[in-house]
Amino acid sequence: MKAPVPLTPARFRQPRPPSRPTRVAAQPAAVPQGRAFADEGSLWESFWLRLAALREDCRIPEQREPLLLLALFAALLVFSYWPGLLNARAAWSNPQYSHGWLVPLFSIVMLFWWRQPIQAVSISARAAGAGLLVASVALRLAMARYRIITVDMYTFVPALAGVALMVGGWSLIRWAILPIGFLIFMYPLPDEATRYLLGPLQTLATAVSTYGIQTLGVDAYREGNQIIVGDKHLGVVDACSGLRMLTIFIALSAAIVMLSQTNWLESGVILASSVPIALLVNAIRITLTGVMYTISPDLADKLFHDWAGYFMMPLALGLLYLEQWLFARLVVAPAPATMSLPAMLTARAPVRRPPRRRDAPGRVVSPVGRPKEA
């Protein structure tokens, strides 16, 4: 049994030392959670707003360091893939890939236009980004061993995406994945794919054009990849197969989806319809050339055969616009909560705040540790 504690009068009690004030941890600089720029102004005003936001973020260490690290890794990747990038540049002299030099410029502009502040990077994002980067390098080494140059060049795109995910996390990859993925259109098709596509495309273009010429009342028939119109032989060569129009128009349709504010369903329809529209426009060109051969062969050679290619892209864009116009009137619009594909990728996730806890009855401890009365 414990001895009883003697009661001390209040006047003889030692005063309790004053409690030490609660120290509040120094808070780091606030990281911007996301920005929404108004679209009412001009394009020039929007550019300066985004440039000012970039300068403001560069003053914050939590933003400046990841941006510098991204620039460093991107520069190292460009240096490592420089021979492949030179091969891609050499392919741009081919009329089939003459749009290639526009692709990196468009991607850089979209990265600048869609940029959002970098948030905290989770361990899962670091691991996924590092894994994607290692897998891309391993695939590149395997392709270099078997001298598959085109696929070796392609690995630059997933390697760049892996760097973005590893340094910037999931918040960065959500708005950067489309511009990075768009870089795939600056590379030429593999030689095997070109050989496998040319034959069926030539046959399809010849058959559809022959049917179109016959529909217009002109006597014509097909022999292999040639269309016999009267005493004229119209040969559908590799340049008339439609592969050039197909590669360019698919890239253009992808750019339209990125720039437009359409929902995901309409974006999918635009991308899926780019293939038949490109092939149809190519068949229309061959059909008109065959009809003109029966009227004026010289005019057909100079105008339709040489200059009709410049009118194919406006015609394809007109058909795409007509498709969107019909789609908007025949399909019920989605609910307002449905966002466009770019908006879905650039929208930031809600910020989760740490819950408050109770230390003692009547006292609440805030997330920074400062007690206050409930």
PDB file of all heavy atoms in Angstrom, residues 27 43 47 52 80 83 113 138 158 169 176 182 184 188-189 191-192 203 223 240 244-245 261 272 277 302 353 359:
ATOM      1  N   GLN A  27       6.065  26.443 -43.148  1.00  0.00           N
ATOM      2  CA  GLN A  27       5.365  25.927 -44.304  1.00  0.00           C
ATOM      3  C   GLN A  27       6.139  26.249 -45.573  1.00  0.00           C
ATOM      4  O   GLN A  27       6.634  27.367 -45.749  1.00  0.00           O
ATOM      5  CB  GLN A  27       3.957  26.553 -44.400  1.00  0.00           C
ATOM      6  CG  GLN A  27       3.062  26.196 -43.239  1.00  0.00           C
ATOM      7  CD  GLN A  27       2.810  24.713 -43.191  1.00  0.00           C
ATOM      8  OE1 GLN A  27       2.437  24.104 -44.189  1.00  0.00           O
ATOM      9  NE2 GLN A  27       3.017  24.111 -42.031  1.00  0.00           N
ATOM     10  N   LEU A  43      -5.632  35.486 -79.144  1.00  0.00           N
ATOM     11  CA  LEU A  43      -4.611  34.448 -79.056  1.00  0.00           C
ATOM     12  C   LEU A  43      -3.314  35.017 -78.497  1.00  0.00           C
ATOM     13  O   LEU A  43      -2.616  34.352 -77.724  1.00  0.00           O
ATOM     14  CB  LEU A  43      -4.383  33.855 -80.446  1.00  0.00           C
ATOM     15  CG  LEU A  43      -3.537  32.588 -80.535  1.00  0.00           C
ATOM     16  CD1 LEU A  43      -4.216  31.447 -79.807  1.00  0.00           C
ATOM     17  CD2 LEU A  43      -3.272  32.231 -81.984  1.00  0.00           C
ATOM     18  N   PHE A  47      -1.342  33.884 -75.041  1.00  0.00           N
ATOM     19  CA  PHE A  47       0.072  33.499 -75.031  1.00  0.00           C
ATOM     20  C   PHE A  47       0.828  34.213 -73.918  1.00  0.00           C
ATOM     21  O   PHE A  47       1.604  33.589 -73.175  1.00  0.00           O
ATOM     22  CB  PHE A  47       0.687  33.821 -76.398  1.00  0.00           C
ATOM     23  CG  PHE A  47       2.188  33.743 -76.414  1.00  0.00           C
ATOM     24  CD1 PHE A  47       2.826  32.511 -76.467  1.00  0.00           C
ATOM     25  CD2 PHE A  47       2.957  34.895 -76.357  1.00  0.00           C
ATOM     26  CE1 PHE A  47       4.209  32.443 -76.474  1.00  0.00           C
ATOM     27  CE2 PHE A  47       4.340  34.831 -76.367  1.00  0.00           C
ATOM     28  CZ  PHE A  47       4.974  33.600 -76.426  1.00  0.00           C
ATOM     29  N   ALA A  52       3.533  34.457 -68.648  1.00  0.00           N
ATOM     30  CA  ALA A  52       3.674  35.044 -67.312  1.00  0.00           C
ATOM     31  C   ALA A  52       3.496  33.975 -66.232  1.00  0.00           C
ATOM     32  O   ALA A  52       4.192  33.992 -65.206  1.00  0.00           O
ATOM     33  CB  ALA A  52       2.653  36.166 -67.132  1.00  0.00           C
ATOM     34  N   SER A  80      20.937  11.264 -77.326  1.00  0.00           N
ATOM     35  CA  SER A  80      21.047   9.820 -77.529  1.00  0.00           C
ATOM     36  C   SER A  80      20.370   9.375 -78.820  1.00  0.00           C
ATOM     37  O   SER A  80      20.868   8.478 -79.511  1.00  0.00           O
ATOM     38  CB  SER A  80      20.449   9.085 -76.330  1.00  0.00           C
ATOM     39  OG  SER A  80      20.449   7.693 -76.533  1.00  0.00           O
ATOM     40  N   PRO A  83      20.975  10.307 -84.086  1.00  0.00           N
ATOM     41  CA  PRO A  83      21.002   9.647 -85.411  1.00  0.00           C
ATOM     42  C   PRO A  83      19.609   9.287 -85.926  1.00  0.00           C
ATOM     43  O   PRO A  83      19.320   9.447 -87.115  1.00  0.00           O
ATOM     44  CB  PRO A  83      21.854   8.397 -85.166  1.00  0.00           C
ATOM     45  CG  PRO A  83      22.693   8.737 -83.986  1.00  0.00           C
ATOM     46  CD  PRO A  83      21.823   9.599 -83.115  1.00  0.00           C
ATOM     47  N   TRP A 113       0.939  25.289 -74.204  1.00  0.00           N
ATOM     48  CA  TRP A 113      -0.425  25.792 -74.054  1.00  0.00           C
ATOM     49  C   TRP A 113      -1.186  25.064 -72.963  1.00  0.00           C
ATOM     50  O   TRP A 113      -2.024  25.650 -72.282  1.00  0.00           O
ATOM     51  CB  TRP A 113      -1.156  25.677 -75.381  1.00  0.00           C
ATOM     52  CG  TRP A 113      -2.211  26.715 -75.584  1.00  0.00           C
ATOM     53  CD1 TRP A 113      -3.562  26.584 -75.440  1.00  0.00           C
ATOM     54  CD2 TRP A 113      -1.987  28.075 -75.975  1.00  0.00           C
ATOM     55  NE1 TRP A 113      -4.194  27.761 -75.724  1.00  0.00           N
ATOM     56  CE2 TRP A 113      -3.250  28.698 -76.061  1.00  0.00           C
ATOM     57  CE3 TRP A 113      -0.850  28.816 -76.272  1.00  0.00           C
ATOM     58  CZ2 TRP A 113      -3.395  30.032 -76.415  1.00  0.00           C
ATOM     59  CZ3 TRP A 113      -0.996  30.138 -76.639  1.00  0.00           C
ATOM     60  CH2 TRP A 113      -2.263  30.730 -76.699  1.00  0.00           C
ATOM     61  N   ALA A 138      15.583  -0.801 -73.521  1.00  0.00           N
ATOM     62  CA  ALA A 138      15.812  -2.217 -73.821  1.00  0.00           C
ATOM     63  C   ALA A 138      15.287  -2.578 -75.213  1.00  0.00           C
ATOM     64  O   ALA A 138      15.951  -3.308 -75.968  1.00  0.00           O
ATOM     65  CB  ALA A 138      15.137  -3.078 -72.755  1.00  0.00           C
ATOM     66  N   PRO A 158       8.021   6.692 -76.304  1.00  0.00           N
ATOM     67  CA  PRO A 158       7.771   6.170 -74.949  1.00  0.00           C
ATOM     68  C   PRO A 158       8.873   6.511 -73.965  1.00  0.00           C
ATOM     69  O   PRO A 158       8.603   6.658 -72.764  1.00  0.00           O
ATOM     70  CB  PRO A 158       7.651   4.657 -75.170  1.00  0.00           C
ATOM     71  CG  PRO A 158       8.336   4.389 -76.452  1.00  0.00           C
ATOM     72  CD  PRO A 158       8.116   5.596 -77.296  1.00  0.00           C
ATOM     73  N   GLY A 169       5.326  13.119 -62.542  1.00  0.00           N
ATOM     74  CA  GLY A 169       4.238  12.383 -61.911  1.00  0.00           C
ATOM     75  C   GLY A 169       3.000  12.292 -62.768  1.00  0.00           C
ATOM     76  O   GLY A 169       2.959  12.705 -63.931  1.00  0.00           O
ATOM     77  N   ALA A 176       0.334  16.052 -70.672  1.00  0.00           N
ATOM     78  CA  ALA A 176       1.449  15.986 -71.616  1.00  0.00           C
ATOM     79  C   ALA A 176       1.429  14.745 -72.499  1.00  0.00           C
ATOM     80  O   ALA A 176       2.195  14.678 -73.464  1.00  0.00           O
ATOM     81  CB  ALA A 176       2.779  16.041 -70.860  1.00  0.00           C
ATOM     82  N   PHE A 182       1.812  12.557 -79.966  1.00  0.00           N
ATOM     83  CA  PHE A 182       1.676  13.086 -81.328  1.00  0.00           C
ATOM     84  C   PHE A 182       3.000  13.071 -82.077  1.00  0.00           C
ATOM     85  O   PHE A 182       3.021  13.102 -83.318  1.00  0.00           O
ATOM     86  CB  PHE A 182       1.119  14.505 -81.270  1.00  0.00           C
ATOM     87  CG  PHE A 182       0.721  15.063 -82.607  1.00  0.00           C
ATOM     88  CD1 PHE A 182      -0.454  14.677 -83.221  1.00  0.00           C
ATOM     89  CD2 PHE A 182       1.534  15.984 -83.266  1.00  0.00           C
ATOM     90  CE1 PHE A 182      -0.823  15.182 -84.451  1.00  0.00           C
ATOM     91  CE2 PHE A 182       1.171  16.500 -84.497  1.00  0.00           C
ATOM     92  CZ  PHE A 182      -0.019  16.097 -85.090  1.00  0.00           C
ATOM     93  N   ILE A 184       4.822  10.715 -82.715  1.00  0.00           N
ATOM     94  CA  ILE A 184       4.971   9.507 -83.516  1.00  0.00           C
ATOM     95  C   ILE A 184       4.722   9.782 -84.994  1.00  0.00           C
ATOM     96  O   ILE A 184       5.224   9.063 -85.876  1.00  0.00           O
ATOM     97  CB  ILE A 184       4.019   8.404 -83.002  1.00  0.00           C
ATOM     98  CG1 ILE A 184       4.472   7.028 -83.470  1.00  0.00           C
ATOM     99  CG2 ILE A 184       2.595   8.666 -83.432  1.00  0.00           C
ATOM    100  CD1 ILE A 184       5.759   6.564 -82.858  1.00  0.00           C
ATOM    101  N   PRO A 188       8.689   8.073 -90.327  1.00  0.00           N
ATOM    102  CA  PRO A 188       8.123   7.342 -91.475  1.00  0.00           C
ATOM    103  C   PRO A 188       7.618   5.968 -91.055  1.00  0.00           C
ATOM    104  O   PRO A 188       7.986   5.443 -89.998  1.00  0.00           O
ATOM    105  CB  PRO A 188       9.312   7.233 -92.440  1.00  0.00           C
ATOM    106  CG  PRO A 188      10.516   7.239 -91.549  1.00  0.00           C
ATOM    107  CD  PRO A 188      10.169   8.152 -90.392  1.00  0.00           C
ATOM    108  N   LEU A 189       6.799   5.397 -91.901  1.00  0.00           N
ATOM    109  CA  LEU A 189       6.311   4.043 -91.665  1.00  0.00           C
ATOM    110  C   LEU A 189       7.445   3.042 -91.889  1.00  0.00           C
ATOM    111  O   LEU A 189       8.359   3.295 -92.679  1.00  0.00           O
ATOM    112  CB  LEU A 189       5.151   3.716 -92.609  1.00  0.00           C
ATOM    113  CG  LEU A 189       3.834   4.453 -92.376  1.00  0.00           C
ATOM    114  CD1 LEU A 189       2.848   4.129 -93.505  1.00  0.00           C
ATOM    115  CD2 LEU A 189       3.236   4.091 -91.038  1.00  0.00           C
ATOM    116  N   ASP A 191       9.419   0.004 -93.507  1.00  0.00           N
ATOM    117  CA  ASP A 191       9.437  -0.432 -94.912  1.00  0.00           C
ATOM    118  C   ASP A 191       8.503  -1.606 -95.150  1.00  0.00           C
ATOM    119  O   ASP A 191       7.827  -1.684 -96.184  1.00  0.00           O
ATOM    120  CB  ASP A 191      10.864  -0.793 -95.323  1.00  0.00           C
ATOM    121  CG  ASP A 191      11.790   0.414 -95.309  1.00  0.00           C
ATOM    122  OD1 ASP A 191      11.271   1.546 -95.432  1.00  0.00           O
ATOM    123  OD2 ASP A 191      13.023   0.234 -95.166  1.00  0.00           O
ATOM    124  N   GLU A 192       8.455  -2.532 -94.205  1.00  0.00           N
ATOM    125  CA  GLU A 192       7.568  -3.689 -94.368  1.00  0.00           C
ATOM    126  C   GLU A 192       6.109  -3.249 -94.405  1.00  0.00           C
ATOM    127  O   GLU A 192       5.316  -3.742 -95.212  1.00  0.00           O
ATOM    128  CB  GLU A 192       7.795  -4.686 -93.226  1.00  0.00           C
ATOM    129  CG  GLU A 192       9.132  -5.398 -93.274  1.00  0.00           C
ATOM    130  CD  GLU A 192       9.249  -6.310 -94.485  1.00  0.00           C
ATOM    131  OE1 GLU A 192       8.207  -6.841 -94.932  1.00  0.00           O
ATOM    132  OE2 GLU A 192      10.359  -6.473 -95.000  1.00  0.00           O
ATOM    133  N   THR A 203      -4.964  -1.541-105.406  1.00  0.00           N
ATOM    134  CA  THR A 203      -6.102  -2.315-105.917  1.00  0.00           C
ATOM    135  C   THR A 203      -7.423  -1.662-105.536  1.00  0.00           C
ATOM    136  O   THR A 203      -8.346  -1.560-106.364  1.00  0.00           O
ATOM    137  CB  THR A 203      -6.034  -3.740-105.373  1.00  0.00           C
ATOM    138  OG1 THR A 203      -4.778  -4.341-105.734  1.00  0.00           O
ATOM    139  CG2 THR A 203      -7.175  -4.581-105.938  1.00  0.00           C
ATOM    140  N   GLU A 223      -7.849  -3.424-115.639  1.00  0.00           N
ATOM    141  CA  GLU A 223      -6.911  -4.512-115.882  1.00  0.00           C
ATOM    142  C   GLU A 223      -5.751  -4.376-114.897  1.00  0.00           C
ATOM    143  O   GLU A 223      -4.871  -3.532-115.083  1.00  0.00           O
ATOM    144  CB  GLU A 223      -6.368  -4.474-117.321  1.00  0.00           C
ATOM    145  CG  GLU A 223      -7.357  -4.911-118.374  1.00  0.00           C
ATOM    146  CD  GLU A 223      -6.722  -4.991-119.749  1.00  0.00           C
ATOM    147  OE1 GLU A 223      -5.520  -4.631-119.864  1.00  0.00           O
ATOM    148  OE2 GLU A 223      -7.404  -5.405-120.695  1.00  0.00           O
ATOM    149  N   CYS A 240      -0.245   7.110-106.535  1.00  0.00           N
ATOM    150  CA  CYS A 240      -1.700   7.301-106.591  1.00  0.00           C
ATOM    151  C   CYS A 240      -2.447   6.323-105.694  1.00  0.00           C
ATOM    152  O   CYS A 240      -3.677   6.234-105.769  1.00  0.00           O
ATOM    153  CB  CYS A 240      -2.194   7.140-108.034  1.00  0.00           C
ATOM    154  SG  CYS A 240      -1.486   8.321-109.204  1.00  0.00           S
ATOM    155  N   ARG A 244       0.015   8.399 -99.204  1.00  0.00           N
ATOM    156  CA  ARG A 244       0.479   9.722 -98.775  1.00  0.00           C
ATOM    157  C   ARG A 244      -0.665  10.506 -98.147  1.00  0.00           C
ATOM    158  O   ARG A 244      -0.513  11.106 -97.071  1.00  0.00           O
ATOM    159  CB  ARG A 244       1.047  10.468 -99.978  1.00  0.00           C
ATOM    160  CG  ARG A 244       1.450  11.901 -99.671  1.00  0.00           C
ATOM    161  CD  ARG A 244       1.795  12.655-100.935  1.00  0.00           C
ATOM    162  NE  ARG A 244       2.071  14.058-100.648  1.00  0.00           N
ATOM    163  CZ  ARG A 244       2.263  14.982-101.576  1.00  0.00           C
ATOM    164  NH1 ARG A 244       2.213  14.657-102.859  1.00  0.00           N
ATOM    165  NH2 ARG A 244       2.501  16.233-101.234  1.00  0.00           N
ATOM    166  N   MET A 245      -1.818  10.507 -98.804  1.00  0.00           N
ATOM    167  CA  MET A 245      -2.972  11.223 -98.261  1.00  0.00           C
ATOM    168  C   MET A 245      -3.398  10.602 -96.930  1.00  0.00           C
ATOM    169  O   MET A 245      -3.815  11.320 -96.003  1.00  0.00           O
ATOM    170  CB  MET A 245      -4.122  11.154 -99.269  1.00  0.00           C
ATOM    171  CG  MET A 245      -5.390  11.867 -98.829  1.00  0.00           C
ATOM    172  SD  MET A 245      -5.131  13.643 -98.696  1.00  0.00           S
ATOM    173  CE  MET A 245      -6.706  14.148 -98.017  1.00  0.00           C
ATOM    174  N   GLN A 261     -12.972  21.033 -78.956  1.00  0.00           N
ATOM    175  CA  GLN A 261     -13.615  20.833 -77.658  1.00  0.00           C
ATOM    176  C   GLN A 261     -14.708  19.774 -77.744  1.00  0.00           C
ATOM    177  O   GLN A 261     -15.693  19.829 -77.033  1.00  0.00           O
ATOM    178  CB  GLN A 261     -14.204  22.155 -77.157  1.00  0.00           C
ATOM    179  CG  GLN A 261     -13.163  23.226 -76.905  1.00  0.00           C
ATOM    180  CD  GLN A 261     -12.173  22.824 -75.823  1.00  0.00           C
ATOM    181  OE1 GLN A 261     -12.522  22.183 -74.843  1.00  0.00           O
ATOM    182  NE2 GLN A 261     -10.912  23.203 -76.016  1.00  0.00           N
ATOM    183  N   ALA A 272     -11.614   7.702 -86.400  1.00  0.00           N
ATOM    184  CA  ALA A 272     -11.962   6.504 -87.157  1.00  0.00           C
ATOM    185  C   ALA A 272     -12.333   6.823 -88.598  1.00  0.00           C
ATOM    186  O   ALA A 272     -12.072   6.025 -89.512  1.00  0.00           O
ATOM    187  CB  ALA A 272     -13.113   5.764 -86.461  1.00  0.00           C
ATOM    188  N   ILE A 277     -12.221   8.673 -95.312  1.00  0.00           N
ATOM    189  CA  ILE A 277     -12.273   9.966 -95.995  1.00  0.00           C
ATOM    190  C   ILE A 277     -11.038  10.152 -96.865  1.00  0.00           C
ATOM    191  O   ILE A 277     -11.131  10.600 -98.023  1.00  0.00           O
ATOM    192  CB  ILE A 277     -12.412  11.109 -94.971  1.00  0.00           C
ATOM    193  CG1 ILE A 277     -13.807  11.111 -94.366  1.00  0.00           C
ATOM    194  CG2 ILE A 277     -12.141  12.457 -95.629  1.00  0.00           C
ATOM    195  CD1 ILE A 277     -14.022  12.178 -93.310  1.00  0.00           C
ATOM    196  N   LYS A 302      -2.139  18.124-117.133  1.00  0.00           N
ATOM    197  CA  LYS A 302      -1.605  19.324-116.502  1.00  0.00           C
ATOM    198  C   LYS A 302      -2.399  19.730-115.266  1.00  0.00           C
ATOM    199  O   LYS A 302      -1.822  20.126-114.254  1.00  0.00           O
ATOM    200  CB  LYS A 302      -1.601  20.484-117.501  1.00  0.00           C
ATOM    201  CG  LYS A 302      -0.651  20.269-118.670  1.00  0.00           C
ATOM    202  CD  LYS A 302      -0.704  21.447-119.632  1.00  0.00           C
ATOM    203  CE  LYS A 302       0.239  21.225-120.821  1.00  0.00           C
ATOM    204  NZ  LYS A 302       0.179  22.362-121.776  1.00  0.00           N
ATOM    205  N   ARG A 353      -7.257  17.106 -48.480  1.00  0.00           N
ATOM    206  CA  ARG A 353      -6.679  17.748 -47.308  1.00  0.00           C
ATOM    207  C   ARG A 353      -6.597  16.745 -46.166  1.00  0.00           C
ATOM    208  O   ARG A 353      -7.490  15.910 -45.995  1.00  0.00           O
ATOM    209  CB  ARG A 353      -7.526  18.953 -46.884  1.00  0.00           C
ATOM    210  CG  ARG A 353      -7.650  20.002 -47.983  1.00  0.00           C
ATOM    211  CD  ARG A 353      -8.408  21.199 -47.483  1.00  0.00           C
ATOM    212  NE  ARG A 353      -8.555  22.193 -48.537  1.00  0.00           N
ATOM    213  CZ  ARG A 353      -7.637  23.110 -48.819  1.00  0.00           C
ATOM    214  NH1 ARG A 353      -6.524  23.138 -48.116  1.00  0.00           N
ATOM    215  NH2 ARG A 353      -7.828  23.976 -49.786  1.00  0.00           N
ATOM    216  N   ASP A 359      -7.046  15.762 -29.885  1.00  0.00           N
ATOM    217  CA  ASP A 359      -6.102  15.308 -28.857  1.00  0.00           C
ATOM    218  C   ASP A 359      -6.780  15.100 -27.515  1.00  0.00           C
ATOM    219  O   ASP A 359      -6.526  14.143 -26.804  1.00  0.00           O
ATOM    220  CB  ASP A 359      -4.981  16.339 -28.701  1.00  0.00           C
ATOM    221  CG  ASP A 359      -3.724  15.898 -29.412  1.00  0.00           C
ATOM    222  OD1 ASP A 359      -3.790  14.868 -30.097  1.00  0.00           O
ATOM    223  OD2 ASP A 359      -2.696  16.594 -29.292  1.00  0.00           O
TER     224      ASP A 359
END
